């Protein structure tokens, strides 16, 4: 095929671009076999594409022998293929003029950051989530773009409690109460707007049993005078409001909650959730978006006060582990410090292994190295 002639740009005029409605109307009428003529092409680029497509169709027609007409319906089928070919050519021409009309209708391909939501997680995944299609970066309007979290549910609604049932000598009502209180703790510690900007997590602390030895005093000490051994981030999500602020109102959440029977009179609630927080600099109106990812694994118990020395209506914490993605190393001031794409993160240099913060297939047991590692993506 001979090379195409140089494009004629004398007719290019952005103000003459076809509207989405005109192009979509043309495609719809062509698909229905209508006789509407194609809308006027707006630019030299569109004319060049259409001319090339016509040349290719003509060349193909010359190479293909024309069959003799028959009475068995084949001419009708051939005509159907011809209509389909015209439609295909029209689609190609439209894509050449305005590709977003087609790409925006593909799952996850639009400029609005939309994507097909994932079903709720019912068990541990078998591997890390795939990299989203394309290489689009997060923006302030779409802070989860380019992240697996774009398809996750958001906020407290993403924390779904399982169906309650009688366990370990505890009634169904008691178990339902334990599940509800476990969700209240997760929401108050990781999603409450006041806690996220560094305020005291009173509602979260109120869920916990004051009779559990050392736990509440340790947590209060970490909140008032944080250091390496007393870090409130092990249970609470907090950002320095003078450093960063939320990029929008949404926090994406992915995980699951399960029930288990403990000793007689003890119900266990296991929670494994990953939270994704988009942030921007506090005093920056146009800067980039950073995402910090936190995974928390907790086992909470509701104990029967008739059998155990506990406070009625309060939960005990059997274990709690956390893993942080995209926060500075070596800073123990009680706040998370996201790293932005246009700068090196503060704090010490990361020394741990590279890890994917979205990989929920790995167990989190508390035996992981304490080294601060790099993340493969945010």
């Amino acid at each position: 095929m001979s090379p195409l002639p140089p494009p004629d740009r004398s007719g290019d005029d952005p103000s003459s671009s076809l509207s989405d409605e005109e192009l979509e109307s043309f495609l719809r009428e062509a698909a229905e076999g209508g006789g509407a003529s194609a809308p006027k092409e707006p630019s030299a680029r569109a004319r060049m594409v259409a001319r090339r497509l016509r040349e290719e169709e003509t060349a193909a027609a010359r190479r293909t022998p024309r069959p003799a007409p028959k009475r068995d319906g084949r001419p009708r089928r051939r005509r159907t293929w011809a209509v389909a070919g015209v439609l295909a050519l029209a689609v190609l021409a439209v894509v050449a003029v305005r590709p977003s009309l087609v790409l925006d209708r593909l799952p996850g391909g639009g400029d609005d950051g939309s994507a097909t939501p994932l079903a709720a997680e019912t068990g541990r995944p078998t591997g890390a989530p795939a990299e989203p299609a394309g290489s689009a970066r997060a923006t302030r309007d779409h802070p989860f773009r380019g992240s697996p979290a774009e398809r996750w549910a958001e906020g407290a609604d993403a924390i779904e409690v399982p169906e309650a049932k009688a366990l370990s000598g505890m009634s169904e009502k008691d178990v339902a109460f334990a599940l509800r209180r476990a969700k209240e703790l997760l929401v108050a510690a990781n999603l409450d707007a006041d806690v996220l900007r560094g305020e005291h997590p009173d509602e979260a602390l109120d869920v916990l049993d004051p009779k559990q030895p050392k736990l509440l005093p340790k947590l209060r000490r970490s909140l008032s005078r944080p250091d390496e051994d007393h870090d409130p981030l092990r249970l609470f999500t907090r950002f320095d409001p003078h450093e960063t602020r939320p990029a929008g109102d949404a926090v994406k959440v992915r995980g699951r909650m399960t029930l288990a029977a403990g000793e007689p009179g003890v119900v266990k609630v296991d929670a494994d959730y990953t939270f994704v927080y988009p942030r921007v600099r506090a005093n920056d109106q146009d800067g980039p978006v950073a995402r910090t990812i936190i995974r928390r694994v907790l086992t909470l118990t509701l104990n029967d006060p008739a059998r155990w020395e506990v406070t009625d209506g309060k939960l005990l914490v059997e274990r709690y582990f956390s893993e942080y993605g995209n926060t500075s190393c070596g800073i123990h001031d009680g706040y998370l410090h996201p790293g932005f794409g246009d700068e090196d993160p503060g704090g010490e240099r990361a020394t741990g292994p590279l890890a994917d913060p979205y990989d929920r297939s790995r167990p989190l047991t508390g035996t992981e190295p304490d080294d601060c590692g790099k993340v493969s993506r945010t």
Side-chain angles (χ1 to χ4, degrees), residues 19 28 36 45 59 85-86 167 174 252 261 287 296 303 350 368:
S19 69
R28 184 169 56 253
R45 178 189 177 197
V86 171
L167 276 178
D174 291 332
K252 294 285 189 167
R296 299 199 185 277
N303 294 37
E368 292 76 20

PDB file of all heavy atoms in Angstrom, residues 19 28 36 45 59 85-86 167 174 252 261 287 296 303 350 368:
ATOM      1  N   SER A  19     -20.227  16.547  18.372  1.00  0.00           N
ATOM      2  CA  SER A  19     -20.635  16.274  19.741  1.00  0.00           C
ATOM      3  C   SER A  19     -20.758  14.780  19.948  1.00  0.00           C
ATOM      4  O   SER A  19     -20.920  14.013  18.997  1.00  0.00           O
ATOM      5  CB  SER A  19     -21.977  16.954  20.042  1.00  0.00           C
ATOM      6  OG  SER A  19     -23.001  16.318  19.309  1.00  0.00           O
ATOM      7  N   ARG A  28     -25.681   4.452  16.205  1.00  0.00           N
ATOM      8  CA  ARG A  28     -26.907   3.742  16.509  1.00  0.00           C
ATOM      9  C   ARG A  28     -27.728   3.507  15.244  1.00  0.00           C
ATOM     10  O   ARG A  28     -28.254   2.411  15.011  1.00  0.00           O
ATOM     11  CB  ARG A  28     -27.702   4.528  17.535  1.00  0.00           C
ATOM     12  CG  ARG A  28     -28.972   3.810  17.998  1.00  0.00           C
ATOM     13  CD  ARG A  28     -29.593   4.498  19.200  1.00  0.00           C
ATOM     14  NE  ARG A  28     -29.880   5.911  18.920  1.00  0.00           N
ATOM     15  CZ  ARG A  28     -29.174   6.915  19.417  1.00  0.00           C
ATOM     16  NH1 ARG A  28     -28.149   6.696  20.204  1.00  0.00           N
ATOM     17  NH2 ARG A  28     -29.497   8.175  19.135  1.00  0.00           N
ATOM     18  N   ALA A  36     -29.481   6.839   7.469  1.00  0.00           N
ATOM     19  CA  ALA A  36     -28.955   8.167   7.767  1.00  0.00           C
ATOM     20  C   ALA A  36     -27.540   8.289   7.242  1.00  0.00           C
ATOM     21  O   ALA A  36     -26.749   7.363   7.333  1.00  0.00           O
ATOM     22  CB  ALA A  36     -29.004   8.417   9.258  1.00  0.00           C
ATOM     23  N   ARG A  45      -7.833  14.923  10.025  1.00  0.00           N
ATOM     24  CA  ARG A  45      -7.471  13.605  10.553  1.00  0.00           C
ATOM     25  C   ARG A  45      -8.573  12.593  10.275  1.00  0.00           C
ATOM     26  O   ARG A  45      -8.350  11.468   9.843  1.00  0.00           O
ATOM     27  CB  ARG A  45      -7.233  13.698  12.055  1.00  0.00           C
ATOM     28  CG  ARG A  45      -6.909  12.359  12.695  1.00  0.00           C
ATOM     29  CD  ARG A  45      -6.902  12.512  14.185  1.00  0.00           C
ATOM     30  NE  ARG A  45      -6.670  11.219  14.821  1.00  0.00           N
ATOM     31  CZ  ARG A  45      -6.922  10.977  16.100  1.00  0.00           C
ATOM     32  NH1 ARG A  45      -7.413  11.919  16.858  1.00  0.00           N
ATOM     33  NH2 ARG A  45      -6.677   9.799  16.615  1.00  0.00           N
ATOM     34  N   ALA A  59      -9.808  -2.190  -2.361  1.00  0.00           N
ATOM     35  CA  ALA A  59      -8.792  -3.179  -2.733  1.00  0.00           C
ATOM     36  C   ALA A  59      -9.239  -4.585  -2.376  1.00  0.00           C
ATOM     37  O   ALA A  59      -9.042  -5.538  -3.122  1.00  0.00           O
ATOM     38  CB  ALA A  59      -7.479  -2.842  -2.039  1.00  0.00           C
ATOM     39  N   GLY A  85     -19.899  -4.557   7.856  1.00  0.00           N
ATOM     40  CA  GLY A  85     -18.629  -3.946   7.475  1.00  0.00           C
ATOM     41  C   GLY A  85     -18.696  -2.439   7.501  1.00  0.00           C
ATOM     42  O   GLY A  85     -17.766  -1.763   7.942  1.00  0.00           O
ATOM     43  N   VAL A  86     -19.811  -1.880   7.029  1.00  0.00           N
ATOM     44  CA  VAL A  86     -19.984  -0.427   7.075  1.00  0.00           C
ATOM     45  C   VAL A  86     -19.963   0.069   8.515  1.00  0.00           C
ATOM     46  O   VAL A  86     -19.337   1.080   8.847  1.00  0.00           O
ATOM     47  CB  VAL A  86     -21.298  -0.028   6.379  1.00  0.00           C
ATOM     48  CG1 VAL A  86     -21.589   1.448   6.605  1.00  0.00           C
ATOM     49  CG2 VAL A  86     -21.208  -0.318   4.884  1.00  0.00           C
ATOM     50  N   LEU A 167     -22.699 -19.652  69.836  1.00  0.00           N
ATOM     51  CA  LEU A 167     -21.389 -20.296  69.860  1.00  0.00           C
ATOM     52  C   LEU A 167     -20.877 -20.365  71.287  1.00  0.00           C
ATOM     53  O   LEU A 167     -21.067 -19.424  72.076  1.00  0.00           O
ATOM     54  CB  LEU A 167     -20.373 -19.500  69.016  1.00  0.00           C
ATOM     55  CG  LEU A 167     -20.304 -19.726  67.502  1.00  0.00           C
ATOM     56  CD1 LEU A 167     -19.257 -18.781  66.914  1.00  0.00           C
ATOM     57  CD2 LEU A 167     -19.974 -21.163  67.160  1.00  0.00           C
ATOM     58  N   ASP A 174     -25.884 -12.552  71.886  1.00  0.00           N
ATOM     59  CA  ASP A 174     -24.555 -12.174  72.389  1.00  0.00           C
ATOM     60  C   ASP A 174     -23.547 -12.105  71.245  1.00  0.00           C
ATOM     61  O   ASP A 174     -22.708 -11.188  71.189  1.00  0.00           O
ATOM     62  CB  ASP A 174     -24.081 -13.182  73.432  1.00  0.00           C
ATOM     63  CG  ASP A 174     -24.875 -13.123  74.717  1.00  0.00           C
ATOM     64  OD1 ASP A 174     -25.407 -12.039  75.036  1.00  0.00           O
ATOM     65  OD2 ASP A 174     -24.989 -14.161  75.411  1.00  0.00           O
ATOM     66  N   LYS A 252     -11.054   3.597  50.974  1.00  0.00           N
ATOM     67  CA  LYS A 252     -11.400   2.297  50.420  1.00  0.00           C
ATOM     68  C   LYS A 252     -11.003   1.195  51.401  1.00  0.00           C
ATOM     69  O   LYS A 252      -9.962   1.275  52.065  1.00  0.00           O
ATOM     70  CB  LYS A 252     -10.703   2.093  49.085  1.00  0.00           C
ATOM     71  CG  LYS A 252     -11.185   3.035  47.987  1.00  0.00           C
ATOM     72  CD  LYS A 252     -12.554   2.625  47.462  1.00  0.00           C
ATOM     73  CE  LYS A 252     -12.918   3.439  46.219  1.00  0.00           C
ATOM     74  NZ  LYS A 252     -14.063   2.866  45.508  1.00  0.00           N
ATOM     75  N   ALA A 261     -15.363 -20.163  67.842  1.00  0.00           N
ATOM     76  CA  ALA A 261     -15.635 -20.469  69.249  1.00  0.00           C
ATOM     77  C   ALA A 261     -14.318 -20.568  69.999  1.00  0.00           C
ATOM     78  O   ALA A 261     -13.372 -21.198  69.535  1.00  0.00           O
ATOM     79  CB  ALA A 261     -16.416 -21.775  69.351  1.00  0.00           C
ATOM     80  N   GLY A 287      -0.895  19.998  44.059  1.00  0.00           N
ATOM     81  CA  GLY A 287       0.124  18.963  44.097  1.00  0.00           C
ATOM     82  C   GLY A 287      -0.420  17.565  43.890  1.00  0.00           C
ATOM     83  O   GLY A 287      -1.626  17.358  43.706  1.00  0.00           O
ATOM     84  N   ARG A 296      -4.743  -4.333  58.748  1.00  0.00           N
ATOM     85  CA  ARG A 296      -4.862  -4.641  60.171  1.00  0.00           C
ATOM     86  C   ARG A 296      -5.506  -6.019  60.348  1.00  0.00           C
ATOM     87  O   ARG A 296      -6.516  -6.340  59.713  1.00  0.00           O
ATOM     88  CB  ARG A 296      -5.694  -3.584  60.883  1.00  0.00           C
ATOM     89  CG  ARG A 296      -5.085  -2.176  60.800  1.00  0.00           C
ATOM     90  CD  ARG A 296      -5.645  -1.272  61.865  1.00  0.00           C
ATOM     91  NE  ARG A 296      -5.171   0.090  61.736  1.00  0.00           N
ATOM     92  CZ  ARG A 296      -4.008   0.540  62.203  1.00  0.00           C
ATOM     93  NH1 ARG A 296      -3.182  -0.292  62.830  1.00  0.00           N
ATOM     94  NH2 ARG A 296      -3.653   1.801  62.063  1.00  0.00           N
ATOM     95  N   ASN A 303     -16.357 -12.120  76.216  1.00  0.00           N
ATOM     96  CA  ASN A 303     -16.373 -13.134  77.270  1.00  0.00           C
ATOM     97  C   ASN A 303     -17.628 -13.011  78.117  1.00  0.00           C
ATOM     98  O   ASN A 303     -18.083 -11.897  78.421  1.00  0.00           O
ATOM     99  CB  ASN A 303     -15.136 -12.994  78.161  1.00  0.00           C
ATOM    100  CG  ASN A 303     -13.845 -13.313  77.429  1.00  0.00           C
ATOM    101  OD1 ASN A 303     -13.688 -13.008  76.257  1.00  0.00           O
ATOM    102  ND2 ASN A 303     -12.906 -13.926  78.141  1.00  0.00           N
ATOM    103  N   ALA A 350      14.413   3.174  53.519  1.00  0.00           N
ATOM    104  CA  ALA A 350      13.812   1.850  53.655  1.00  0.00           C
ATOM    105  C   ALA A 350      14.875   0.772  53.505  1.00  0.00           C
ATOM    106  O   ALA A 350      15.707   0.817  52.594  1.00  0.00           O
ATOM    107  CB  ALA A 350      12.725   1.668  52.613  1.00  0.00           C
ATOM    108  N   GLU A 368       6.627 -10.900  61.273  1.00  0.00           N
ATOM    109  CA  GLU A 368       7.328 -10.315  60.133  1.00  0.00           C
ATOM    110  C   GLU A 368       8.477  -9.429  60.621  1.00  0.00           C
ATOM    111  O   GLU A 368       8.447  -8.897  61.726  1.00  0.00           O
ATOM    112  CB  GLU A 368       6.358  -9.472  59.293  1.00  0.00           C
ATOM    113  CG  GLU A 368       5.281 -10.268  58.575  1.00  0.00           C
ATOM    114  CD  GLU A 368       4.170 -10.734  59.500  1.00  0.00           C
ATOM    115  OE1 GLU A 368       4.024 -10.152  60.593  1.00  0.00           O
ATOM    116  OE2 GLU A 368       3.462 -11.679  59.143  1.00  0.00           O
TER     117      GLU A 368
END
